[in-house]
Amino acid sequence: MAQINVIGQNGGRQISLDLPEANANLLHEVVTWQLASRRRGTASTKTRAQVSATGKKMYSQKGTGNARHGDRTVPTFVGGGVAFGPKPRNYGYTLPRKVRQLGLAMALSDRQQEGMLTAVDGFGLDGKTKGFVSWAADNGMNGTESVLLVTDDAVARQAARNVPWVTVLAVAGLNAYDILRHDRLVIDAVALEPAQDEQAEEEGAA
């Protein structure tokens, strides 16, 4: 059972979460799925039917001493169409919801085990970048590590968005990939407490 200390204006308590042990294979699967879903898939090439050129035969079939050719749109000529080239497509695929949820829980577990998970209840900021930098320094963040700030506090997001070593997300955007690509996770305590309540309900029902 992981014990997560809550800091901030309304801190001073602990959140108990039963986080699974991180599994590299499952995390790789979740991250691969997430990055595939983000791919735009807009690469496109023209086939010989789409190239703008005359369809007239280049020269006579016989008597020139050259190889036999038809029009110039074939892939063998510069400016011709592309054979088997990319077309717009969707790279996304379906991953079971339970696997996605488990991957997110494992990413949280990995940061918690490394001591890089910080839960905050009340930032008490004024929306100024200077104020956030001062708050971060008071809590052991001095810019030597990348930080993912996940909060629904609009003032805190405004204060942190111009800090180069901080990435800002709303709680609804929390995902395994962004957690794993940052050194430290700073998250609203309220985002972790629903999971704590669900675990308590499951234990009570059992």
Side-chain angles (χ1 to χ4, degrees), residues 165-184:
W165 41 271
V166 177
T167 301
V168 179
L169 284 179
V171 171
L174 181 64
N175 62 87
Y177 172 66
D178 282 323
I179 292 174
L180 294 173
R181 74 187 184 94
H182 290 83
D183 298 319
R184 179 180 291 276

Side-chain angles (χ1 to χ4, degrees), residues 20-200:
E21 185 177 350
N23 181 293
N25 292 330
L26 190 141
L27 286 172
H28 178 270
E29 187 175 353
V30 172
V31 169
T32 301
W33 162 79
Q34 190 174 333
L35 293 181
S37 299
R38 289 186 180 187
R39 291 185 67 174
R40 296 181 63 190
T42 55
S44 182
T45 54
K46 291 183 178 180
T47 65
R48 61 179 296 183
Q50 295 170 319
V51 173
S52 179
T54 179
K56 181 182 178 182
K57 188 172 176 63
M58 295 173 61
Y59 43 74
S60 299
Q61 178 81 348
K62 295 181 180 293
T64 65
N66 295 310
R68 296 169 290 184
H69 287 296
D71 61 75
R72 289 188 177 274
T73 61
V74 295
T76 52
F77 291 112
V78 174
V82 177
F84 310 112
K87 285 292 183 183
R89 56 167 291 193
N90 180 11
Y91 287 91
Y93 57 91
T94 302
L95 194 68
R97 181 172 59 89
K98 287 187 177 181
V99 176
R100 302 197 303 265
Q101 291 175 337
L102 186 58
L104 179 58
M106 285 183 177
L108 290 172
S109 174
D110 184 70
R111 288 296 167 264
Q112 191 276 330
Q113 289 177 359
E114 293 181 357
M116 293 294 187
L117 174 58
T118 303
V120 183
D121 189 354
F123 287 88
L125 299 174
D126 58 359
K128 301 294 185 180
T129 303
K130 183 178 180 180
F132 177 82
V133 172
S134 176
W135 178 90
D138 292 340
N139 290 281
M141 292 169 271
N142 56 11
T144 58
E145 56 194 19
S146 58
V147 175
L148 176 63
L149 175 64
V150 181
T151 178
D152 284 335
D153 185 337
V155 176
R157 292 206 305 267
Q158 178 182 337
R161 65 188 180 185
N162 287 330
V163 180
W165 41 271
V166 177
T167 301
V168 179
L169 284 179
V171 171
L174 181 64
N175 62 87
Y177 172 66
D178 282 323
I179 292 174
L180 294 173
R181 74 187 184 94
H182 290 83
D183 298 319
R184 179 180 291 276
L185 172 63
V186 179
I187 187 171
D188 281 347
V190 69
L192 301 176
E193 286 171 338
Q196 181 186 34
D197 295 340
E198 289 176 7
Q199 288 179 5

